[in-house]
Amino acid sequence: MTKAHIISIGAELTEGRVLNTNATYLAQQIQQMGIGISRITTIGDDINDIVHSLNAPQDILVVTGGLGPTHDDITTDALFQFCTDNFNSFVTKNSWQKTITHYCKTKEINHLHERVCLLKNPVGSAPGVYIKVDKRHIFALPGVPSEAKSLFSKEVEPILKTMSTTYHSHVMRLSGTYESQVQKILKKTNWPKHVEISLLPQYNGVNVVIKSSVEAVAFINDVRSKLQEHIYSESALTLEETISKLLCAQQKTIAVAESCSGGFASHLLTNVPGSSSYFQHGVVSYSNEAKVKILGVRPETIEKYGAVSSECAQEMAQGVRKITQTDIGIATTGISGPTGATPNKPLGLLYVAYADKDNTIVRKKVIRKPRVEHKKHSAHFVLGLLWECLKDKKNDKKK
Amino acid sequence: MTKAHIISIGAELTEGRVLNTNATYLAQQIQQMGIGISRITTIGDDINDIVHSLNAPQDILVVTGGLGPTHDDITTDALFQFCTDNFNSFVTKNSWQKTITHYCKTKEINHLHERVCLLKNPVGSAPGVYIKVDKRHIFALPGVPSEAKSLFSKEVEPILKTMSTTYHSHVMRLSGTYESQVQKILKKTNWPKHVEISLLPQYNGVNVVIKSSVEAVAFINDVRSKLQEHIYSESALTLEETISKLLCAQQKTIAVAESCSGGFASHLLTNVPGSSSYFQHGVVSYSNEAKVKILGVRPETIEKYGAVSSECAQEMAQGVRKITQTDIGIATTGISGPTGATPNKPLGLLYVAYADKDNTIVRKKVIRKPRVEHKKHSAHFVLGLLWECLKDKKNDKKK
């Protein structure tokens, strides 16, 4: 199997000032294409160390970081030295710099050498660099996560795909289940020898990646039939993008009432381009006063059952859809912590609700996670419920 | 300076299934003790690769993962092979295994060799291992984050402290500025030779990290005086945590009206534990109807100036604070794209507003970033404005 090596460059990483999310993202993406990851190396801003690592014998090398304009951005210097060492009559440092400056001004891609070219950065100023030495492919990307992601998917992925042809990879994105549950179901399948499966846990779901050296259609069909109810996508579509498609197809509008998820559910829904056509409004009703004044939750409900209750979740979902008369309202209320637990209501308790003109559905769960994780999980849990309700109405267009 | 190498072992890491939080934690701890981190290596479950890495020439090696009981936990095998290669008449595999079993039963620490001993795991069953070869110190810890942390602080830290040289590190977190602007200012300082500076770009800001082998008080004071107006924290405090402290100290409540940031500003503010004491509510008013019905923006304002305008931002901030009578209201409105631009209003246009009982302040900016980045930047931009307004009132407690 083709193997890749990921190198992350930056003192902020070796000093533990930021989490290395780029390496994890790249490892996931590369893995899903059927290319193995031999190792991930993180090095500080030391040019000799970087040059040494560039000379490692892996088939594919993806380097991130150190491509910016500041004094500690020395990947460019390391790449230049590497190219000078490896190619006869390589361009001068001056002309390398000129090509990059020209790119920054015009976004025009020029080759630095027959085996070295720049890669367009769709979201930032510094370009990526692609070097081909013998059978090795080296990609250098900026360290800013959004730039690394965007450049990787637009420029690097298409090149890598041509190298992983002997390998088949299929992804199923699942909502409303978890790793060990999926593992149990997969154990009951007739798992062929040439098939490898990776489970990537997500908030309120799992991505199942099925890799094989020959096509595994029958096996994939078998797995699909067993996991059917949880699969929201077998492509790159996220849960919120799947929901977007369903809302558009059913011509429905939505409003969101959030307590414990604190705005993250609205954030996820509005991440999708075009969401303004169905997303009317969201309310983050943190105080009881906001729940009553904005959403119309009855004070008696809060008094009798508490703000973290099935009854309150229901009234929040129903209330938020009334404000601008949307088709659907969804709601979250829970205890994200670190305080707020009571003898009857444990830390992590969560209620989510879905309401439309005919039905109101509430789900309960306890998620024992730190505050921010709990918030994100809550948001994904309510979107999971929304997706379930929407997919069941797939053919029920708005009258 | 003494240097350490961190090795993380596990296919779950090389395949991108989990973030490598252990490495970041260890790097932070070791760094703060004045020991530099030369590199962090992540390798899968391959015994030869692990043995090869154990033989690297670093002074200090901290290995995590692969010490458990399952078939892919092969660090123990690698350590055994390494010791056999390096020490004459090393114990047999059987007696190594017996010593560990004995530890698990009794928690008694026995030496495997004069240079190899077990380390007590305060929170899990598998012990750590400490190997001393020549001048090199190798520590192997379990991969479960809570066990790695606990074993490191209880057993490894005391040993490392005896090896560290003094090292100073100081961070300044800046809002409302950017990398090249800070660089320009730093160029005008009298930068001592023993000082190293890293700039870490953030949304709507930069973190400046000043490192030195001897204390650099005068230099830090100089930098501080030049960057003063942008510094919101010189500790680990984030912008939203700094805002939280100011709101609590000034006993003020807040409400948020978001259009283009889509809920992300509310999400950031509610990430802070205890935020329910000042965060009353947020409104994600995506539709014009929601802006009018929930926030009370005048339809004439939207008709005359458009929803993306200074006037609309002002009325949103003023409107949202009226609903539950909060002290402060903040608002965002802009064009996150990919569509929505007009000849007069470019993609990326953004207005943010701050309103209290006395003042309303609006800021304009154009951020040419993809949709999700634009949303996040918008949220940080409005929080930056909020921080500026709050810090100016530092001593102006609520009457």
Side-chain angles (χ1 to χ4, degrees):
Chain A
M1 196 208 271
T2 314
K3 285 268 184 184
H5 182 181
I6 296 170
I7 301 182
S8 309
I9 292 166
E12 73 279 15
L13 298 169
T14 52
E15 292 174 5
R17 277 181 279 125
V18 293
L19 263 172
N20 192 350
T21 53
N22 276 343
T24 302
Y25 170 81
L26 292 172
Q28 255 181 35
Q29 299 304 309
I30 294 171
Q31 245 270 119
Q32 287 179 8
M33 291 162 66
I35 295 171
I37 308 292
S38 57
R39 62 167 57 198
I40 300 168
T41 305
T42 308
I43 34 190
D45 301 319
D46 181 304
I47 187 162
N48 294 327
D49 235 14
I50 301 173
V51 174
H52 180 79
S53 300
L54 291 173
N55 280 305
Q58 277 80 5
D59 308 323
I60 296 162
L61 205 60
V62 182
V63 183
T64 60
L67 284 182
T70 70
H71 68 278
D72 55 357
D73 287 322
I74 53 170
T75 302
T76 306
D77 292 343
L79 291 173
F80 177 74
Q81 189 177 316
F82 174 82
C83 290
T84 309
D85 295 348
N86 278 276
F87 303 123
N88 291 329
S89 67
F90 191 65
V91 299
T92 62
K93 187 70 192 283
N94 200 14
S95 105
W96 170 296
Q97 209 55 58
K98 267 189 189 160
T99 309
I100 288 182
T101 313
H102 180 77
Y103 164 85
C104 292
K105 276 188 198 148
T106 62
K107 298 283 157 185
E108 243 171 60
I109 292 295
N110 286 325
H111 285 219
L112 286 158
H113 178 267
E114 52 174 332
R115 288 163 170 274
V116 185
C117 72
L118 299 184
L119 298 171
K120 207 169 215 163
N121 181 343
V123 296
S125 58
V129 180
Y130 173 29
I131 304 172
K132 209 169 157 331
V133 200
D134 310 324
K135 283 182 179 172
R136 293 188 294 137
H137 302 259
I138 300 175
F139 302 91
L141 313 178
V144 179
S146 59
E147 298 186 21
K149 281 185 187 185
S150 181
L151 220 156
F152 180 82
S153 67
K154 287 265 165 57
E155 300 287 334
V156 181
E157 220 176 275
I159 301 173
L160 291 187
K161 272 193 178 148
T162 64
M163 301 178 204
S164 60
T165 39
T166 51
Y167 218 78
H168 302 270
S169 179
H170 187 87
V171 64
M172 293 180 187
R173 295 170 190 268
L174 276 50
S175 172
T177 183
Y178 45 93
E179 198 177 0
S180 59
Q181 199 177 46
V182 174
Q183 194 124 40
K184 216 183 268 175
I185 293 169
L186 289 177
K187 272 192 184 147
K188 291 182 194 149
T189 58
N190 182 11
W191 195 328
K193 252 195 171 166
H194 63 275
V195 165
E196 260 181 64
I197 297 186
S198 305
L199 301 183
L200 311 176
Q202 310 289 316
Y203 293 108
N204 192 43
V206 180
N207 290 353
V208 180
V209 185
I210 302 171
K211 294 165 290 176
S212 57
S213 49
V214 296
E215 285 213 66
V217 180
F219 178 68
I220 289 172
N221 286 340
D222 184 23
V223 171
R224 184 184 294 119
S225 71
K226 290 195 167 74
L227 297 172
Q228 190 73 66
E229 58 172 330
H230 296 294
I231 302 170
Y232 63 82
S233 152
E234 293 192 52
S235 65
L237 278 195
T238 61
L239 182 58
E240 50 273 26
E241 287 166 344
T242 306
I243 288 168
S244 168
K245 287 206 158 203
L246 289 166
L247 285 170
C248 289
Q250 296 173 27
Q251 297 173 35
K252 283 181 180 156
T253 55
I254 188 166
V256 180
E258 301 185 68
S259 187
C260 66
S261 52
F264 201 75
S266 288
H267 170 62
L268 288 176
L269 286 171
T270 59
N271 277 350
V272 183
S275 47
S276 56
S277 72
Y278 50 83
F279 184 94
Q280 286 281 309
H281 66 276
V283 174
V284 183
S285 56
Y286 237 46
S287 67
N288 288 345
E289 199 184 345
K291 288 183 183 73
V292 172
K293 275 204 182 167
I294 309 180
L295 299 175
V297 172
R298 290 174 307 157
E300 309 89 80
T301 304
I302 295 177
E303 206 170 298
K304 191 166 172 192
Y305 304 102
V308 181
S309 63
S310 166
E311 291 77 7
C312 184
Q314 277 186 50
E315 291 189 23
M316 286 170 70
Q318 288 159 349
V320 81
R321 65 178 285 271
K322 278 185 200 145
I323 303 171
T324 60
Q325 300 290 330
T326 56
D327 298 306
I328 297 166
I330 56 173
T332 67
T333 181
I335 305 168
S336 293
T339 58
T342 68
N344 298 322
K345 295 183 177 174
L347 208 63
L349 179 63
L350 168 66
Y351 291 92
V352 301
Y354 164 96
D356 60 24
K357 69 179 189 332
D358 305 315
N359 296 300
T360 304
I361 299 167
V362 186
R363 289 268 165 81
K364 180 185 170 181
K365 195 172 186 177
V366 178
I367 301 160
R368 294 181 211 285
K369 295 270 180 194
R371 182 178 180 84
V372 179
E373 288 302 292
H374 186 274
K375 287 179 67 189
K376 291 184 175 174
H377 203 112
S378 304
H380 283 90
F381 190 44
V382 77
L383 294 195
L385 172 61
L386 171 61
W387 168 69
E388 271 180 55
C389 296
L390 287 171
K391 77 172 163 146
D392 292 340
K393 300 198 177 174
K394 224 165 189 169
N395 303 313
D396 162 35
K397 293 232 169 166
K398 196 179 171 180
K399 281 131 216 169
Chain B
M1 196 206 276
T2 314
K3 285 269 184 184
H5 181 181
I6 296 170
I7 301 181
S8 308
I9 292 166
E12 74 279 14
L13 298 168
T14 52
E15 290 175 5
R17 275 183 280 128
V18 294
L19 264 171
N20 193 350
T21 54
N22 276 343
T24 302
Y25 171 82
L26 292 171
Q28 256 178 30
Q29 300 303 310
I30 294 170
Q31 244 271 123
Q32 284 173 11
M33 293 161 64
I35 296 172
I37 308 292
S38 56
R39 62 167 59 199
I40 299 168
T41 306
T42 308
I43 33 188
D45 302 316
D46 180 304
I47 186 162
N48 294 327
D49 235 13
I50 301 172
V51 174
H52 180 79
S53 300
L54 290 173
N55 280 303
Q58 277 80 6
D59 306 323
I60 296 162
L61 204 62
V62 182
V63 182
T64 61
L67 284 181
T70 68
H71 70 279
D72 54 358
D73 286 323
I74 53 170
T75 302
T76 305
D77 292 343
L79 290 173
F80 178 75
Q81 190 178 316
F82 174 82
C83 290
T84 310
D85 295 349
N86 278 277
F87 303 124
N88 291 329
S89 67
F90 190 65
V91 299
T92 61
K93 187 72 190 281
N94 199 16
S95 105
W96 171 296
Q97 208 56 59
K98 266 188 189 163
T99 310
I100 289 182
T101 313
H102 180 76
Y103 163 86
C104 291
K105 275 186 199 151
T106 63
K107 298 283 158 186
E108 245 172 59
I109 292 294
N110 288 324
H111 285 218
L112 285 157
H113 178 268
E114 54 174 332
R115 290 164 168 274
V116 185
C117 73
L118 299 184
L119 298 171
K120 207 169 214 164
N121 181 342
V123 296
S125 58
V129 180
Y130 174 30
I131 305 171
K132 211 172 157 324
V133 200
D134 310 324
K135 284 182 179 170
R136 293 188 293 136
H137 301 260
I138 300 175
F139 302 90
L141 313 177
V144 179
S146 59
E147 299 186 21
K149 281 185 186 183
S150 181
L151 219 156
F152 180 82
S153 67
K154 288 264 164 57
E155 301 286 334
V156 181
E157 219 175 276
I159 301 172
L160 292 187
K161 270 192 177 149
T162 64
M163 304 175 204
S164 66
T165 44
T166 42
Y167 194 76
H168 303 271
S169 176
H170 187 88
V171 64
M172 292 180 187
R173 295 169 189 269
L174 276 51
S175 172
T177 182
Y178 44 93
E179 199 176 359
S180 59
Q181 199 177 45
V182 174
Q183 190 117 40
K184 216 182 267 175
I185 293 168
L186 289 176
K187 273 192 183 147
K188 290 181 195 150
T189 59
N190 182 11
W191 195 328
K193 252 195 171 164
H194 62 277
V195 165
E196 264 178 62
I197 298 187
S198 308
L199 301 182
L200 310 177
Q202 310 290 316
Y203 292 108
N204 193 42
V206 181
N207 291 352
V208 180
V209 184
I210 302 170
K211 294 165 290 177
S212 57
S213 51
V214 296
E215 284 212 68
V217 180
F219 178 68
I220 289 172
N221 286 341
D222 185 23
V223 172
R224 184 184 294 117
S225 72
K226 290 197 166 72
L227 297 171
Q228 191 73 66
E229 58 171 328
H230 295 294
I231 303 171
Y232 63 83
S233 153
E234 293 192 52
S235 64
L237 280 194
T238 61
L239 183 58
E240 49 273 24
E241 286 165 343
T242 306
I243 288 169
S244 168
K245 286 205 159 203
L246 289 166
L247 286 170
C248 289
Q250 295 173 27
Q251 297 174 34
K252 282 181 180 157
T253 55
I254 189 166
V256 181
E258 303 183 68
S259 188
C260 67
S261 51
F264 202 74
S266 288
H267 171 62
L268 288 176
L269 287 171
T270 59
N271 276 351
V272 183
S275 46
S276 56
S277 72
Y278 51 82
F279 185 95
Q280 287 280 310
H281 66 275
V283 174
V284 184
S285 56
Y286 237 47
S287 65
N288 288 346
E289 198 184 346
K291 289 184 182 71
V292 172
K293 276 204 182 168
I294 310 180
L295 299 175
V297 172
R298 290 174 308 159
E300 310 89 78
T301 304
I302 296 177
E303 207 168 299
K304 191 167 172 193
Y305 305 102
V308 181
S309 64
S310 167
E311 291 76 10
C312 184
Q314 277 186 50
E315 291 190 23
M316 286 171 68
Q318 288 159 348
V320 80
R321 63 177 287 270
K322 277 185 200 144
I323 302 173
T324 60
Q325 301 290 329
T326 56
D327 298 306
I328 297 166
I330 55 173
T332 66
T333 182
I335 305 169
S336 293
T339 58
T342 68
N344 298 322
K345 295 183 177 175
L347 209 61
L349 179 63
L350 168 66
Y351 292 93
V352 301
Y354 164 97
D356 61 24
K357 68 180 188 335
D358 304 316
N359 296 300
T360 305
I361 300 166
V362 185
R363 289 267 165 80
K364 181 185 169 180
K365 195 173 187 178
V366 178
I367 301 160
R368 294 181 213 283
K369 294 270 180 192
R371 181 177 182 84
V372 179
E373 289 304 293
H374 187 273
K375 287 178 66 188
K376 291 183 176 175
H377 203 112
S378 304
H380 283 90
F381 190 46
V382 77
L383 293 195
L385 172 61
L386 170 61
W387 168 70
E388 271 180 54
C389 296
L390 287 171
K391 77 174 164 143
D392 292 340
K393 301 200 176 174
K394 222 165 189 166
N395 304 312
D396 163 33
K397 292 231 170 165
K398 195 179 173 181
K399 282 129 214 168

